Amino acid sequence: MTYNPNIPLPTASPATSAAPIQVNYSQFATVFSNTIAGVQYNHMAINDPNRGKHASVIFQRQVADKSITQDLAQLYAKDAPQATGGPNQLQLFARVPQFLPTDLDTTVATNAPMQLTYNTVNIVGPNQYQSFLPGGYLIWFGTQAAIPATITLTPTPTSLLVAIAEPTAVSGLGNSPPFAVATQILSATQFKITSATSPPAAVPGAGVVFVWMAIGKA
Amino acid sequence: MAAPITYDPNTPLVTTPYADWQTSFQQNFQQLYNAFAIDHIALDAASNAGNHTYIQLPEQETAKQTGTGEISVYTKDVEGQTDQIFLRYSGNGTEFQFTNYQIYTLPQIKKGSSVIQNQYFTFLPGKILVYFGDVKANPDNIIQLNPPIAKNVITVNLTPNTTTNANAIPTATPFITAKPGIYNGVFLNTVGLPSKTINFFYIVLANV
């Protein structure tokens, strides 16, 4: 049974029109809100008190961006590169109307789609966590003892842009000067944390924990 | 020019001849079909009928009413920007701005032929901009904040990007330039620190 927008035919009688009309009513209701295994897909049912509202929203992969000519914003799904270099993954994008340049920001920037998601997060740790930022960026953060140390990031970014680190303790020496800390990006996937007291030079004890944060491009 | 098809919920009428019923039914079915196809896989698609292609959210004037067990997603105009996506939690809870501004690629900042700042930005929900990158302290000691729209600098995190680790962190002072109420950058105070060019990674969070 398929919805047919071209019925009833002018040649059809009321008796023969009833069935196709009922098919259209039935198909519209089914397509509008489809319940599978107790989960409502896309919209609440037409006869539901919350009819018309959205239940779970299913986005179908799009291969092109849709232009914006009105006062509205868009959400849609299309493929984007993933950090590990594997096949593109489907991600959620937002697009807003073009508004640049402005008086404050004279950049002539188009309203390019903004990638909102990435397909992995690490909330388990224990020493490295990962989430994502709009624009196809990944953010990692965590803790590290036993400095100096090389941090290897997972998932692997295409480029590593920033690495920040800070100690969580003072040096314990006279006047407790803070540990001097530095980071160095070694590759797209690794950065190094080094530290010493200044002055005098000393290596932080094994019990001193450093917190760190890194941002890279997926 | 043919008159546009309009969906009419008050058809057919009892007094209307059946020949006219046919036309009314067909117009309604056609209009349902056309309207649904705007943001959805078509009603008569062989597969995935009803799934969303794009969700286009026309601008709303006010926050949406949100019942218990609901989260609403909608669009409102943001002063100085354009329409952005907002969320509101259940039970008419907190509304917050989900998307912000327009992400674009920033050029390297150079002094002569030397790169003194690699700059990037993104956003967090709640009208927060995240500026990040790396900057050379000395000679200019300035982190330029682009896009220049920050109304309040919240945090500045700095770490030297170097193999030598005996470097103190300069203090950071956000500064306002010609446009009142807008922070265009962060000044790195390196007085008392070794006078040498040091590259710093930075992350700056700001309200817009």
Side-chain angles (χ1 to χ4, degrees):
Chain A
M1 292 195 303
T2 306
Y3 186 93
N4 185 349
N6 300 314
I7 61 97
L9 296 174
T11 54
S13 68
T16 58
S17 297
I21 289 173
Q22 286 183 6
V23 166
N24 271 7
Y25 286 147
S26 173
Q27 274 301 97
F28 184 86
T30 300
V31 171
F32 187 75
S33 177
N34 196 13
T35 300
I36 301 175
V39 178
Q40 277 189 310
Y41 287 85
N42 290 313
H43 308 90
M44 302 299 285
I46 293 176
N47 289 334
D48 188 281
N50 290 308
R51 56 185 168 272
K53 297 178 182 178
H54 284 84
S56 58
V57 176
I58 308 299
F59 288 91
Q60 205 72 30
R61 172 185 274 112
Q62 301 301 305
V63 297
D65 302 313
K66 193 180 187 71
S67 61
I68 297 180
T69 57
Q70 304 166 40
D71 290 336
L72 55 82
Q74 298 171 346
L75 286 170
Y76 57 103
K78 69 172 186 176
D79 286 335
Q82 63 168 330
T84 57
N88 289 347
Q89 291 281 342
L90 201 58
Q91 304 292 350
L92 190 65
F93 281 77
R95 196 173 192 189
V96 298
Q98 179 162 352
F99 66 98
L100 291 169
T102 64
D103 290 341
L104 285 180
D105 185 357
T106 58
T107 305
V108 181
T110 62
N111 58 330
M114 298 182 283
Q115 182 179 337
L116 295 182
T117 60
Y118 189 71
N119 43 293
T120 64
V121 293
N122 177 2
I123 59 172
V124 176
N127 297 319
Q128 180 176 141
Y129 301 82
Q130 173 260 322
S131 184
F132 49 82
L133 297 167
Y137 296 109
L138 302 182
I139 182 169
W140 300 260
F141 45 101
T143 58
Q144 178 67 43
I147 302 297
T150 295
I151 309 292
T152 300
L153 301 173
T154 304
T156 306
T158 57
S159 60
L160 187 51
L161 304 173
V162 166
I164 300 277
E166 294 184 20
T168 60
V170 295
S171 66
L173 299 180
N175 295 320
S176 294
F179 289 112
V181 62
T183 57
Q184 184 190 11
I185 290 178
L186 303 176
S187 69
T189 64
Q190 291 184 321
F191 71 96
K192 187 175 182 180
I193 303 175
T194 58
S195 180
T197 56
S198 174
V203 177
V208 176
V209 173
F210 285 70
V211 294
W212 59 266
M213 188 160 50
I215 300 176
K217 192 71 175 166
Chain B
M1 187 172 72
I5 297 175
T6 306
Y7 186 85
D8 182 0
N10 298 313
T11 188
L13 297 174
V14 172
T15 54
T16 306
Y18 183 72
D20 294 331
W21 283 30
Q22 178 269 330
T23 304
S24 301
F25 271 120
Q26 201 176 69
Q27 286 184 345
N28 272 3
F29 284 139
Q30 188 68 54
Q31 188 62 356
L32 273 175
Y33 184 89
N34 293 342
F36 192 76
I38 295 297
D39 277 3
H40 305 84
I41 304 288
L43 288 167
D44 59 352
S47 62
N48 302 314
N51 287 353
H52 290 77
T53 52
Y54 305 84
I55 288 186
Q56 298 181 91
L57 301 161
E59 179 185 313
Q60 303 296 305
E61 296 295 324
T62 59
K64 307 315 292 178
Q65 296 296 308
T66 310
T68 304
E70 298 176 348
I71 292 178
S72 58
V73 180
Y74 51 95
T75 295
K76 286 199 327 183
D77 189 50
V78 173
E79 184 181 349
Q81 297 186 21
T82 184
D83 296 296
Q84 297 287 355
I85 296 172
F86 282 72
L87 267 67
R88 190 174 191 186
Y89 286 121
S90 63
N92 286 337
T94 306
E95 172 192 78
F96 63 91
Q97 184 176 328
F98 183 58
T99 60
N100 194 12
Y101 214 65
Q102 170 66 55
I103 295 175
Y104 58 84
T105 302
L106 289 164
Q108 292 178 318
I109 297 176
K110 294 183 178 180
K111 193 176 181 77
S113 60
S114 176
V115 175
I116 59 172
Q117 186 176 344
N118 290 298
Q119 48 176 354
Y120 313 88
F121 77 98
T122 180
F123 59 80
L124 291 170
K127 301 184 66 172
I128 296 174
L129 271 197
V130 182
Y131 300 95
F132 59 100
D134 64 88
V135 64
K136 279 189 172 60
N138 294 327
D140 285 355
N141 293 346
I142 290 174
I143 301 173
Q144 291 194 31
L145 298 181
N146 289 308
I149 60 171
K151 294 180 181 174
N152 178 41
V153 174
I154 307 168
T155 65
V156 179
N157 285 86
L158 299 164
T159 298
N161 171 22
T162 176
T163 54
T164 59
N165 52 31
N167 300 296
I169 307 296
T171 56
T173 305
F175 64 89
I176 299 174
T177 57
K179 295 183 173 67
I182 298 297
Y183 289 89
N184 290 67
V186 175
F187 177 69
L188 302 178
N189 185 354
T190 58
V191 172
L193 300 181
S195 178
K196 56 182 176 179
T197 299
I198 302 171
N199 189 268
F200 286 88
F201 290 120
Y202 69 88
I203 297 177
V204 176
L205 300 184
N207 293 120
V208 297

